[in-house]
């Protein structure tokens, strides 16, 4: 197993949530303006197509930023969340891995259950932090194992000091 410390990143396939809709909305707008203008050159120069293209480009750039940010960063001190919060290993009393079930309601499909791979960190004061690892690049189980290994290596060091 590789060193447990370092960032846990999202899979590059996450970009499809941004690229797919961007291509679709640009394609639909191009098709609609092509039908109206009758010329590909005029459709490409149309204000509507250009504005949707800019929105699609912004969407892809935003997706790139979101995808490049790590889910969490593991260090010897603790676990850093993307919002800058650091949870120190000493403040954690228990780690539990597993799946969370969420009920998603949609007008088109009705209610359905979605599973997410998670790691729950129970703090000494009883508070709980949930880290969702469903889209981890190395796989959710491997990412959970890295979090557990980082916690256990820090716990081993603190026991050795005592």
């Amino acid at each position: 197993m590789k060193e447990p410390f370092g960032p846990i990143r999202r899979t590059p396939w996450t970009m499809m949530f941004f690229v797919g809709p961007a291509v679709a909305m640009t394609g639909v707008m191009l098709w609609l303006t092509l039908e109206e203008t009758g010329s590909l050159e005029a459709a490409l120069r149309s204000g509507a197509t250009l504005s949707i293209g800019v929105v699609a480009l912004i969407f892809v750039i935003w997706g790139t930023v979101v995808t490049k940010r790590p889910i969490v960063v593991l260090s010897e001190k603790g676990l850093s969340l993307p919002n800058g919060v650091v949870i120190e290993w000493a403040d954690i009393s228990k780690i539990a891995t597993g799946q969370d079930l969420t009920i998603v309601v949609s007008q088109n499909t009705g209610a359905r259950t979605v599973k997410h791979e998670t790691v729950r960190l129970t703090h000494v004061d009883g508070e709980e932090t949930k880290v969702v690892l469903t889209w981890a690049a190395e796989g959710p189980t491997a990412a959970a194992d890295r979090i557990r290994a980082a916690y256990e290596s820090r716990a081993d060091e603190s026991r050795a000091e005592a």
Side-chain angles (χ1 to χ4, degrees):
M1 188 161 111
K2 72 180 193 177
E3 183 72 29
F5 301 114
I8 295 177
R9 300 201 177 277
R10 289 175 183 82
T11 179
W13 287 102
T14 309
M15 271 303 292
M16 293 309 293
F17 287 112
F18 300 94
V19 172
V23 168
M25 67 185 189
T26 304
V28 167
M29 182 52 70
L30 183 61
W31 177 60
L32 290 173
T33 53
L34 183 61
E35 274 189 346
E36 190 166 313
T37 61
S39 162
L40 181 60
E41 183 179 344
L44 288 172
R45 292 181 184 218
S46 131
T49 303
L50 291 175
S51 61
I52 289 296
V54 168
V55 170
L57 181 64
I58 291 169
F59 198 59
V60 169
I61 291 170
W62 179 53
T64 303
V65 170
V66 167
T67 304
K68 294 298 177 194
R69 289 179 60 194
I71 298 170
V72 293
V73 178
L74 305 174
S75 68
E76 292 181 12
K77 181 180 178 185
L79 181 132
S80 301
L81 301 174
N83 61 0
V85 173
V86 177
I87 303 169
E88 294 188 15
W89 298 122
D91 294 339
I92 297 173
S93 63
K94 183 174 80 170
I95 292 182
T97 61
Q99 295 180 337
D100 271 11
L101 299 176
T102 305
I103 296 175
V104 179
V105 180
S106 169
Q107 283 183 310
N108 299 332
T109 61
R112 59 189 167 92
T113 304
V114 177
K115 290 182 184 177
H116 290 288
E117 300 291 333
T118 61
V119 172
R120 290 187 177 274
L121 308 170
T122 305
H123 301 252
V124 176
D125 62 3
E127 190 177 322
E128 201 171 70
T129 301
K130 178 174 68 171
V131 179
V132 179
L133 298 172
T134 304
W135 287 97
E138 59 202 75
T141 304
D145 290 344
R146 278 186 59 198
I147 293 173
R148 183 175 300 285
Y151 171 71
E152 289 173 356
S153 72
R154 187 62 188 149
D156 292 341
E157 287 177 19
S158 63
R159 279 188 286 241
E161 292 172 2

